[in-house]
Amino acid sequence: MTGAQIFISYRRDDAAGYARAAYDELVRHFSEQRVFIDVDDIVAGQSFTDAIRRAVGDSKVLLVLIGKRWLGERDDGSSKISEPGDFVAMEVAAGLAKGMRVIPLLLDGTTMPTPAQLPESLRALSERNALELGNTRFAADMDRLVRVLRDALGEPPSPPVPARSSPPASSSRALLAVGAAVAAIVLVLAAFWWMQSRHGGAASQGATPASAANASDRPRIDGSWRAEVGYDWPNARFVERFVFSGEGDSLHGSASFLGVDRGILEGATGPGTLRFVTRTSETGGGGNAEIVHRYSGRLAGDEIRFVMQTEGGSSAHVPVEFSARRTATRQ
């Protein structure tokens, strides 16, 4: 990809879900041509090292997603981040050497690595001001990130809604006349309501406001879930992870497919239900094909019963049914 201005750096076994969710949100604000992520922007057969070098060279901002496994620590005390061939280290080192705006994004309370934990080429990262990106406040954190990115790219913030100008005198007189008519109608309706309340309005005192009803309709699904899923081909059984958050009927987070976290798209909730979409790609003889996974779930006690339908690709798939159980309770 050429002309990229925002480069997302992440370790796949640490922050794949967050990377995809952040990418999808940034594309909404900046377009696909201005955001680089390796899954989508490196084609089959292309040199990973060459593609990364070119993308970093074209970019103005480097986002470094840092989760709890970003260092790649091992039991013997070594870490992936210190290896010369580690792609994450190569990306960050290239951005720092170029003098890019490098912004660490600390995921779900992860602390900033200390200089002693980093190789010499990355120690300047610990001096960069970091932003936080959390599962429980993803939308608000992304809004803040978008504002920071617009500033870093030299772009003005979204313009405020212009104030309404005062209407001319003739319009004011017309508005006053309309207002008087509306006031008369309101008085008539008020009198009617008072009469109704005298005779039969008492039964409505227990009604629940619509806003309260909508708030209570959201299922208690926020947090982390785990499921053992058997897919519709031989010996295909995986442990999948789901992380949900949101407010009202919105749904954000990630859902893994074949053990790899994917960002949730088109997420929504209803009374005791949820639905969302994830996307993957399939490489075959005819090139790359987009695969869509549509999830529909219903909360039943302490588990979510899902039906997942895969669409696209080189073969047809039957719906897959499975149940997810909560692994962590939000406070």
Side-chain angles (χ1 to χ4, degrees):
M1 182 183 69
T2 60
Q5 293 185 297
I6 303 169
F7 187 107
I8 300 176
S9 173
Y10 67 102
R11 192 176 297 283
R12 291 191 182 185
D13 60 358
D14 174 55
Y18 270 111
R20 168 54 67 178
Y23 171 81
D24 292 337
E25 186 66 18
L26 292 177
V27 164
R28 286 201 316 112
H29 293 273
F30 298 100
S31 82
E32 292 183 358
Q33 289 70 37
R34 302 181 63 191
V35 187
F36 180 94
I37 188 171
D38 60 355
V39 173
D40 287 345
D41 296 311
I42 299 180
V43 299
Q46 186 179 12
S47 167
F48 191 90
T49 303
D50 291 345
I52 293 297
R53 186 181 297 114
R54 284 196 297 270
V56 171
D58 290 337
S59 299
K60 293 184 178 180
V61 180
L62 178 69
L63 301 179
V64 185
L65 275 62
I66 301 177
K68 300 185 185 303
R69 297 187 296 276
W70 181 77
L71 292 171
E73 294 173 312
R74 298 188 177 92
D75 293 338
D76 61 3
S78 64
S79 60
K80 294 180 182 178
I81 201 69
S82 298
E83 296 177 353
D86 182 63
F87 286 120
V88 173
M90 292 168 58
E91 293 167 356
V92 179
L96 292 170
K98 183 188 172 185
M100 291 171 59
R101 178 77 172 269
V102 179
I103 303 175
L105 294 179
L106 304 179
L107 309 180
D108 288 328
T110 301
T111 57
M112 192 72 181
T114 65
Q117 294 175 297
L118 300 172
E120 181 67 29
S121 60
L122 302 186
R123 287 180 183 169
L125 178 67
S126 63
E127 301 173 0
R128 301 298 175 103
N129 188 38
L131 297 177
E132 294 183 350
L133 192 60
N135 173 56
T136 60
R137 55 183 190 280
F138 182 81
D141 288 345
M142 285 301 302
D143 286 344
R144 182 185 181 190
L145 176 60
V146 168
R147 292 195 298 270
V148 170
L149 289 173
R150 290 197 183 281
D151 179 71
L153 296 170
E155 299 179 2
S158 301
V161 178
R164 293 183 180 179
S165 58
S166 300
S170 58
S171 297
S172 298
R173 286 193 295 271
L175 290 174
L176 287 173
V178 172
V182 171
I185 294 173
V186 169
L187 288 174
V188 172
L189 292 175
F192 175 77
W193 175 85
W194 181 78
M195 292 296 294
Q196 288 293 101
S197 64
R198 290 281 304 264
H199 296 284
S204 65
Q205 293 179 0
T208 303
S211 59
N214 291 338
S216 63
D217 285 346
R218 180 177 178 83
R220 299 178 62 84
I221 58 171
D222 293 0
S224 301
W225 300 75
R226 177 182 180 277
E228 291 188 8
V229 183
Y231 294 100
D232 58 336
W233 63 89
N235 302 318
R237 194 163 192 85
F238 291 80
V239 175
E240 307 289 21
R241 301 174 301 275
F242 302 85
V243 180
F244 301 129
S245 65
E247 296 180 356
D249 61 358
S250 67
L251 182 64
H252 309 291
S254 64
S256 70
F257 177 73
L258 306 184
V260 179
D261 293 336
R262 319 281 177 174
I264 285 176
L265 307 172
E266 303 175 20
T269 67
T273 65
L274 67 158
R275 65 182 185 277
F276 59 90
V277 167
T278 66
R279 291 189 172 91
T280 58
S281 61
E282 178 180 278
T283 302
N288 292 334
E290 182 182 71
I291 311 299
V292 178
H293 311 285
R294 300 188 182 277
Y295 293 80
S296 176
R298 178 171 295 278
L299 188 63
D302 59 354
E303 64 182 22
I304 302 175
R305 297 174 182 171
F306 280 105
V307 177
M308 189 273 281
Q309 176 67 62
T310 296
E311 302 173 358
S314 58
S315 59
H317 297 273
V318 300
V320 175
E321 298 184 16
F322 61 93
S323 294
R325 300 184 68 86
R326 191 183 296 274
T327 58
T329 303
R330 290 182 56 192
Q331 301 298 322

